[in-house]
Each structure stands twice: as structure tokens, then as C-alpha cells.
Amino acid sequence: MDTELKKKNNFNKYIVTIWAFFIALVSSVFGIFYFASVGGLGEMPDLKVLENPKTNLASEILSEDGKTIAKFYFNDNRTPVSFSEFPQHLVNALLATEDIRFYNHSGIDWISTLRAIVKLGKDGGGSTITQQLAKQLFTGEGSRDILERINQKIKEYIISIRLEKQYTKNEIIAQYLNIYDFGNNGDGIRSASRIYFGKEPIDLDISESAMLVGMLKNSSLYNPRPSRNPVGVKNRRNVVLAQMFKYGFIDKVMKDSLQVKDLKLNYTPESHRDGIAPYFREYLRTYMKDWVKDEKNRKPDGSKYNINTDGLKIHTTINYNMQVYAEDAINQHMPRLQKEFFKQNKIEDNPTAPFRELTEGAIDTLLRRAMKRSERWRKMKYDLKKSDEEIKKSFQIPVKMNVFSWQGEIDTIMKPWDSMIYYKSFLRPGMMSMDPNTGFVKAWAGGMDYKHFQYDMVKKGKRQIGSTFKPFVYAAAIDQLKLSPCDTFPDSQYCIEKNKFGNPEKWCPRNSGDKYGRTRTLKNALANSINTVTARLMDKIGPKPVIKLAKNLGIEQKILPVPSIALGTPDISVYEMVAAYSAFANKGVYTKPILIEKIEDKNGTILFEYKRETRDVLSEEAAYVTVNLLEGVTQAGSGIRLRTTGATNNAYESVVTGYPYEFDNPIAGKTGTTQNQSDGWFMGMVPNLVTGVWVGAEDRSIHFETIDYGQGASMALPIWGVYMKSCYQDTILNISKESFFKPEKISIELDCNNFKNDSLNTIKNNNKKLLDIDF
């Protein structure tokens, strides 16, 4: 009896001991978790931090049609997307591979955790999607120290439970995919989709989704970038597809068919030098830096916005397709033009190639100045603290370098001195397109390859504009004198005497090729860029009214009040010229170019909206008559090449006019060519789009020898033609083929069949006097 009682008492002791141990164990676990939750094992994020996790968000540059042009960021190229923007097969791939019981647990999958403990992690660590998000957001990479790893794991569990309370399951999936670093600036699923496949997440197919989910295991190891680890990436993708089959998301036929397919990457890097509109983006970066400095543009807490980390959305006026068409037009024409330029500038034909009209001493001086402005000089001088003599010697030592060519980049060995000459030998473009009615800038191409030519020739670059300035003279004369396009003037040499209008010396401009005629109408004179007629007009109105008009049309820099400005001696940017010409198409109203429609913060709150700035510059009548004159350029003048119907076998024609433009709609425009063919311009207008193009070399001493290839109609006009051809083929753009706006009442006669040449009386009625003109 005593023995049985003793056994019973011992059994009871065991039960008590076990329960005591269990209670102690549970209490310890709860105690540790509570201790950790209050910060005993290190700082824990509070609920406010959980609501607003500190992740850097790239600011997104959006086109007017809602497409992403590029992003501003430091290290994190991250733009979050919502769960609704994920295809279902992406979510299925994630669940099948990472956490099949995700929708059934509360942040911790104890079954997977116990399995991981028993198998010592050989079949995975048992972390749920929520735990992986917690690690990404708050706990960081695991430590090698066992105690530190246990500490991190405990904190990870606590944060996971909090995340589950704070967010829905779908929000947790979205956060996880948005925060993960997929490599190659692919921060988050959206950037990764665009970089590796050139598409938005919603457009991914099953194979593409499987590849991206496969990268979640180790984006460095399973890097799909070409030449990195294509076999490993494909094998990992196939593991994901197998998991999708295992859990019934796809059938065996689909699994087998997808597993044999190649990855089919469309690798599209997103960096500050890649992608479309790089010159516009850099101008925008400068603009945004100034915008955030303005005290009016502050966060609610008074701090400055950071354009690289605060996830701003910058809605621009750039049209994505039109920007692509502009860059494509440059890429079509410039290689052909450059090939001809190299052909005409061989050393045997031009010993100082690519320079002309310069002595060897002048060339050496020019290059030494360029050397001291180079990035190489700056780095060696200020970063490496080298002496001037050491730097100069380094420019004569051949080094490995990657140089630009129209056939693709070339790896070569070259002296830095020779590389300067090489780069100076390239002709460069600048192009901008704008809606004259709204002021919205639709396309901005400041060059041809931002990596190798970073100077923006849309707004920074200012070059002599040649005959594209003449419409300002004609418009001022029409506005003051009420001249008609049908008025005739002698085409003979004409001089403006010394000291008149402050003229420092007698000015007698010559026509191109010294060609003169008997008389010309104003329309014919402008169409053919007749200098003598322009000089006569300048003599009647003087330079000051022309300068005033130019200033009112948005020309910023100082213009000397001398008669020679009539032929385009001022240096003006493409940006200014496009805005100025737009006033002619916009009924005489100047509209300041608009680049940004609005700026939003990451939550969609509008921080900035554009305000249109306009001013009346010309009467509707004067503006329309000027447009009528400019239409003559493409009807029977230097712009008539836009009416060509096809290519030709002629070598010259194939380079400069061998595109089948076949435009038959109203087009107003003006070509421009400066002295020695250093600059070629074309300004082209239709009622709802004005586009300006400039082409030239970095130095004015680098140019074509003859005007055949060096004129604006050969260098710049073809880019306009190819661009507009693409714009018209894209019917969604609605680029106008209609006639320009015509005022209801016009006192100036435009039909030369009904016109009686009464210029003298017209001008007398306006209290003016024609001098030395024999009608």
C-alpha cells in the first residue's frame, strides 16, 4: 500500500515538474518576446514607423501620356505599385515558392519553423513572406553570431505579428515585392519589370513572373543581366515553375512548355545616362533642385523635399512617343551626314582636319583651352592634386578608352589629346518641339548620345541663327508698315551707311553666291533668304523695333542695335527660337514654354501646378501675314525639299534629301545657315506644333567646305522631316494638317493675283518713307 502511494506521489511530482517546466518555458518565451517588444533586445520600431516604413522612393518623371520617362534616385530606384497592379500568376509564383500557407497564418508559420529546426534549415529557413518583409524593412541581414541571429529572429517574429495586425495580406505582398532589391538598379518589382523585360508588372507573363520570383532567393547569384548567370537564372526560374505545378497553379503541359523556353530578356537599364530624353531629364534635375530650395515648397513639417528619396511624381509635358520620334529622326539622319562629313574632311584633302580656316598655332591654342575644361583635367588637378605639367604630359600618353561611333561604342587605345580632336569632329544636333497654343514642350533632344556628349544644345547651347532671324525683321516691318507678301523690292546690292543706327561701318550684305535679280516679292525674298531685301527692310524700320520684338518673343540675351543682326548674327538657343516662332502660329501671342504640368508627393497630394504665362506681341493680322510669308519657304524656297516624293541615286540628294517626305499640308518654316556653314537651322511649323532643329560642330571652325551640304536645308531640315513623318503616322497625336488660323478681317492683301503694288503709298499712309527704292 505504501509502495503504491509512494509511486502515486512520485507520479504527481513528475506531472507537477513537467507542468512547471512547461509553464516556465512558456513564461520565458513570452517574457523574452515581451522583453524584446519593449526594446530590451534593441530598438524596436513603433506603430507609427510600421505605418510609414522608411524606404527611399525614387522620384518619377512621367510623360504627358502617363508613361515613365525616368527616375531621380541615389541608390534606390524604387517606385511602389499596388497589389491590384500585379498579375495573379506573379502572386501565385510567390506563394508557391516562398509561403504556400501565407493566407492561413498570422505572420509566423509554425509548421515551417518546426520543420526548419528539425532539418537544420536544409529545406529552407521557414520564414514567411511577412517575416521576409520584416527583415527587409527593419532587421537587416542576418549576423554570423549565433546569439545575434537568435536576437534578430525574435525581433523578426514580433515585427511580423505587428505587420499582420497593421496591414492586410495583399498589402504585405505588395510591400515585400516593392521593397526587394532585384539588382541592376531594379529596386522593387516595378523597376525590375521595366529593367529586365521593358514592361510594367501587370504585363508580365508567367515565365517572366517566375524568373523574378526566383531572384528573391538571391538576386546577386541569380542575376539575369546578359553574360552574368543565364543558366543559373533559367534553372531557378524552372524551380519556381515546378513549385507552381506542385500546388496546382499551372498544369504539367504548361510547366513543361515554359521550362524549355529561353529567358527572353529585354534588358533596359535605368540609369541617369540611359533611357529616353536624357538632356531634358538633366535640365529637369536642375529645375527640381531649385524648386526644393524655394521656401514656398516645403513639407508639412517644414523640411525640404529630396528629389532622390521622397518619391515625388513629376508630370511633364513631354509626349513619350514624340520624344522617341525626335530621337529616332536624329539617329536616322546624323550618321549619314557624319559619314559625308568624314569623307570630305580627310587629311589628304584638308591637312588641318577637322578644322578649317585655322593655323596650327590657333588649333593648338583651341585644344589647350579644351584640355583645361575637360573632366580629366579637373580630376587630376583637384582630386589627385597633380601639377599642370604632369597633367599635360598625361594627355600625350595612350590609354584604354571607350569612344563613341555611330556604329556603336569602340574599345580602343588613344591619347587623350587625340580623343579631344576625335570628339570635336562630330556634328551635333539640338531639337525641341512645342505646342504653340498651350506652350507644352512635347520633345527635347539636346544631343545624340548623352554618355559621350553631355552639353545640352536645346537650352544651354546658343549659336548664331543665320536667316532664321529674318522673320523677326519681316514681322516688325509688317507690323509697322503694313507690308504685303506681294510687295516687291529690288534685288540689288544695298548698303546702310556708316553711323546710321549707330552702325560702326558701312554695311553692304551680299546674297549667297553673289546672285541678284531684278525685283522680288517679300514672299519670294524670304523664301530664298535674299539678304539685300532684308537689308532694305532693316533700313526702313531700324534695329531697335526688331530687337524689341525679339525680346517680347522671349529672346533673352543682349542683341546689339546694329543693322547686321538682320542676317542672324546673335547667338540664340533652340529653346528660345521655338518659343518665339510659336507666337506666329498662336495669333501673335507669346506663351512661355511649359515643361511641368504638376508635381505630386508620394501620396498623390498636388504640390505644384503650372500657370500659363502669355503676352500679346503682334496683332493677329501681322502674325498671320508672317506665317503666310513663312509658308512660301516650303512652297517654293529653301524648304521645298519637304515636298519631295522619294529617294534618289544622286549622292548628294541621298544624304540630305533622300527621305520620302511627301508633305502636302500647309507648313511654315525657315532655314538658316551661318557664315562658313558653321550652323545649320530649320524652324518648322504646323498649326499645333512648332519644332526647331540646329546642327553644327562644337567649334565653328569645324564645318562642311561647301554650302551644298552645310546649309540648314541639308543639315537640319531632314531631321524635322523624318520627325514629322513619324508624328503624322501616329494618328493618336492629332498633329494638324489643316491651314493656319486666319483672322476674319485682314487689311493686307495676300493674293498676289489681285495685288496692286502700292508699297510706296502704303508706307506713306503709315507715316513712313521708302528710301532709295525704285519701283
Side-chain angles (χ1 to χ4, degrees), residues 342-392:
F342 282 147
K343 181 180 177 181
Q344 295 186 24
N345 275 272
K346 295 178 181 178
I347 293 294
E348 52 266 33
D349 299 323
N350 177 22
T352 59
F355 305 97
R356 294 184 183 275
E357 298 96 30
L358 290 183
T359 64
E360 290 186 4
I363 294 172
D364 186 71
T365 300
L366 184 152
L367 291 174
R368 289 189 180 280
R369 289 174 181 170
M371 176 177 64
K372 292 185 177 182
R373 294 194 304 266
S374 69
E375 182 67 10
R376 181 183 182 84
W377 181 281
R378 188 197 67 77
K379 286 183 177 180
M380 295 186 73
K381 179 78 171 177
Y382 301 105
D383 295 347
L384 301 179
K385 308 299 182 183
K386 299 291 184 180
S387 69
D388 288 2
E389 287 304 313
E390 287 178 302
I391 302 173
K392 290 175 184 177

Side-chain angles (χ1 to χ4, degrees), residues 438-629:
T438 65
F440 285 5
V441 175
K442 301 290 187 177
W444 176 306
M448 56 200 182
D449 185 287
Y450 187 77
K451 179 179 179 181
H452 295 281
F453 305 94
Q454 294 183 16
Y455 194 77
D456 177 26
M457 290 307 302
V458 167
K459 199 165 194 301
K460 280 187 179 180
K462 297 177 186 290
R463 297 294 289 257
Q464 281 192 350
I465 55 174
S467 294
T468 55
F469 191 85
K470 289 177 180 175
F472 302 151
V473 179
Y474 280 67
I478 291 167
D479 194 44
Q480 288 195 20
L481 309 179
K482 301 298 181 183
L483 295 178
S484 164
C486 306
D487 277 314
T488 56
F489 290 81
D491 178 12
S492 57
Q493 278 203 304
Y494 188 81
C495 295
I496 296 179
E497 297 301 321
K498 180 179 180 180
N499 295 326
K500 189 173 184 180
F501 310 122
N503 199 31
E505 56 185 23
K506 187 176 182 179
W507 183 57
C508 304
R510 307 168 71 90
N511 287 340
S512 177
D514 282 336
K515 296 179 180 178
Y516 304 94
R518 189 174 61 85
T519 59
R520 291 181 184 268
T521 65
L522 278 187
K523 194 166 189 175
N524 178 277
L526 184 61
N528 293 280
S529 281
I530 303 303
N531 293 338
T532 56
V533 174
T534 307
R536 291 177 185 274
L537 292 179
M538 177 60 82
D539 197 14
K540 310 318 159 204
I541 59 175
K544 288 186 178 180
V546 177
I547 295 172
K548 181 179 179 180
L549 174 62
K551 291 294 182 182
N552 287 335
L553 290 173
I555 305 303
E556 298 172 351
Q557 60 269 33
K558 184 177 180 180
I559 301 176
L560 296 176
V562 294
S564 60
I565 62 171
L567 304 188
T569 55
D571 290 349
I572 300 176
S573 69
V574 173
Y575 175 91
E576 294 167 283
M577 290 297 290
V578 171
Y581 268 65
S582 291
F584 299 140
N586 191 34
K587 308 173 188 178
V589 178
Y590 170 81
T591 302
K592 186 176 180 179
I594 297 169
L595 301 168
I596 301 175
E597 289 190 69
K598 63 181 178 180
I599 302 172
E600 297 175 324
D601 69 11
K602 64 181 180 182
N603 299 314
T605 302
I606 296 177
L607 307 175
F608 165 85
E609 283 189 288
Y610 78 92
K611 293 181 180 179
R612 187 174 287 115
E613 297 181 33
T614 64
R615 56 176 173 265
D616 293 336
V617 178
L618 290 167
S619 66
E620 288 187 357
E621 181 181 49
Y624 179 72
V625 173
T626 304
V627 169
N628 182 271
L629 285 170

Side-chain angles (χ1 to χ4, degrees), residues 144-179:
R144 291 186 177 183
D145 182 80
I146 186 66
L147 294 177
E148 182 63 27
R149 289 179 65 183
I150 293 173
N151 183 16
Q152 288 184 343
K153 204 68 177 177
I154 292 172
K155 292 166 69 176
E156 185 182 297
Y157 284 168
I158 295 170
I159 295 169
S160 297
I161 294 171
R162 289 186 178 183
L163 286 172
E164 290 277 347
K165 290 181 178 180
Q166 202 72 26
Y167 298 103
T168 67
K169 289 287 188 178
N170 290 349
E171 287 173 336
I172 288 173
I173 286 178
Q175 283 199 44
Y176 177 52
L177 291 177
N178 280 324
I179 200 172

Side-chain angles (χ1 to χ4, degrees), residues 197 207 234 237 257-265:
F197 299 109
S207 176
K234 184 176 180 180
R237 178 204 64 180
S257 64
L258 292 175
Q259 284 183 332
V260 297
K261 287 186 175 181
D262 293 331
L263 295 175
K264 292 186 178 178
L265 295 175

Side-chain angles (χ1 to χ4, degrees), residues 58-72 79-81 85 190 194 200 270 276-277 280-281 284 288 311-321 323 440-442 594-602 604:
S59 290
E60 191 171 11
I61 306 168
L62 298 167
S63 65
E64 67 162 1
D65 40 343
K67 297 178 182 178
T68 300
I69 295 175
K71 301 173 188 175
F72 293 142
T79 304
V81 289
E85 296 175 81
R190 184 165 185 260
R194 290 169 54 84
E200 297 296 324
E270 287 189 352
I276 72 164
F280 169 75
R281 282 152 36 198
L284 188 63
M288 289 302 300
L312 302 177
K313 290 190 180 298
I314 307 164
H315 297 263
T316 74
T317 61
I318 296 293
N319 181 280
Y320 194 95
N321 286 355
Q323 180 68 35
F440 285 5
V441 175
K442 301 290 187 177
I594 297 169
L595 301 168
I596 301 175
E597 289 190 69
K598 63 181 178 180
I599 302 172
E600 297 175 324
D601 69 11
K602 64 181 180 182

Side-chain angles (χ1 to χ4, degrees), residues 45 49-50 53-54 133-140 155 159 163:
V49 176
L50 289 175
K54 291 183 178 180
L133 173 61
K135 181 185 292 186
Q136 291 282 327
L137 283 173
F138 303 112
T139 62
K155 292 166 69 176
I159 295 169
L163 286 172

